[in-house]
Amino acid sequence: MFAISPARQTLLLALLALAVLFPGIWQATGLAGKDEFFLGLRTPMEMIAGHHWLVPFLDEAPRIRKPPLLYWMGRASFEAFGASLVSARMIGIAFATLLIVSTAGIARRLSGKPLTGWIAGGILLGCLGIATEGRRFMLDVPVAALSTAAFWTFLLWLDLRRFYWLTATTLLLVAGFLVKGPIVALVFGGGCLALLLTG
């Protein structure tokens, strides 16, 4: 079971994460928070109502305290699937899934053992923070997922020296910056610093 290809392990972990996180996200009585409702969900709805694409709006004023990528994604999802908890929260679940498979990929790469990837992905999937925050339309899990995925693709670039892995790293860092600003560089930089210190 554990001696499968890295690509298949990634796919199976992604499917497991979706199976665990997706059920119940449509329930109004599910895990929520005031920030998700008052900031996360309302911002894309107000963008649609005011015909705003580039600058997120909230309470008829530009919401420029945070970068706009998640709100752009929320608006696109609402436009495509209708304004609902599912169409917003499936974005959060997609990022939580990316975080889980990226963590497993890093663990597998650094240990050289597929079993370590399974364990790392399973531990993260079993964490209370993923069970709660991974189902919500908020900023923290997406920026963690993008930072982790950037570090994973950077490790792949170090191994394979393929230009597309370095391009993926750059695009993931840019996307992370557009979700929550420079914190993505701090998280990614911590991994790079650890690599430098350990050789």
Side-chain angles (χ1 to χ4, degrees):
M1 173 184 171
F2 298 113
I4 63 173
S5 71
R8 189 166 291 178
Q9 183 186 74
T10 299
L11 176 62
L12 290 174
L13 275 172
L15 293 174
L16 178 62
L18 292 173
V20 169
L21 295 174
F22 191 79
I25 64 168
W26 51 86
Q27 298 291 337
T29 56
L31 293 168
K34 63 177 181 149
D35 284 348
E36 182 188 33
F37 175 73
F38 287 114
L39 302 175
L41 299 173
R42 286 180 56 228
T43 300
M45 288 191 287
E46 191 162 324
M47 289 170 71
I48 292 171
H51 305 289
H52 304 292
W53 261 111
L54 290 179
V55 178
F57 269 70
L58 183 65
D59 296 326
E60 299 179 4
R63 177 164 166 68
I64 54 176
R65 290 183 58 201
K66 300 289 183 186
L69 181 61
L70 196 66
Y71 303 121
W72 291 342
M73 294 176 75
R75 177 178 177 166
S77 183
F78 284 179
E79 294 273 9
F81 306 110
S84 70
L85 288 175
V86 173
S87 58
R89 289 179 173 171
M90 67 182 183
I91 296 169
I93 289 173
F95 280 116
T97 300
L98 177 63
L99 177 59
I100 290 163
V101 299
S102 298
T103 301
I106 291 168
R108 186 176 57 241
R109 159 58 182 81
L110 293 179
S111 70
K113 299 175 184 176
L115 178 60
T116 308
W118 285 113
I119 293 170
I123 288 172
L124 188 56
L125 182 56
C127 287
L128 181 60
I130 291 295
T132 58
E133 298 306 305
R135 297 171 191 241
R136 299 188 332 163
F137 185 69
M138 297 292 295
L139 300 171
D140 294 333
V141 170
V143 78
L146 292 166
S147 303
T148 305
F151 186 68
W152 183 27
T153 57
F154 182 68
L155 288 176
L156 291 170
W157 176 76
L158 288 175
D159 282 346
L160 305 172
R161 298 295 176 173
R162 298 281 190 256
F163 179 73
Y164 52 83
W165 288 120
L166 193 57
T167 302
T169 301
T170 304
L171 292 175
L172 288 163
L173 287 172
V174 169
F177 186 85
L178 286 173
V179 168
K180 203 169 179 181
I183 188 70
V184 70
L186 183 64
V187 176
F188 176 80
C192 292
L193 182 61
L195 282 179
L196 286 173
L197 293 176
T198 59

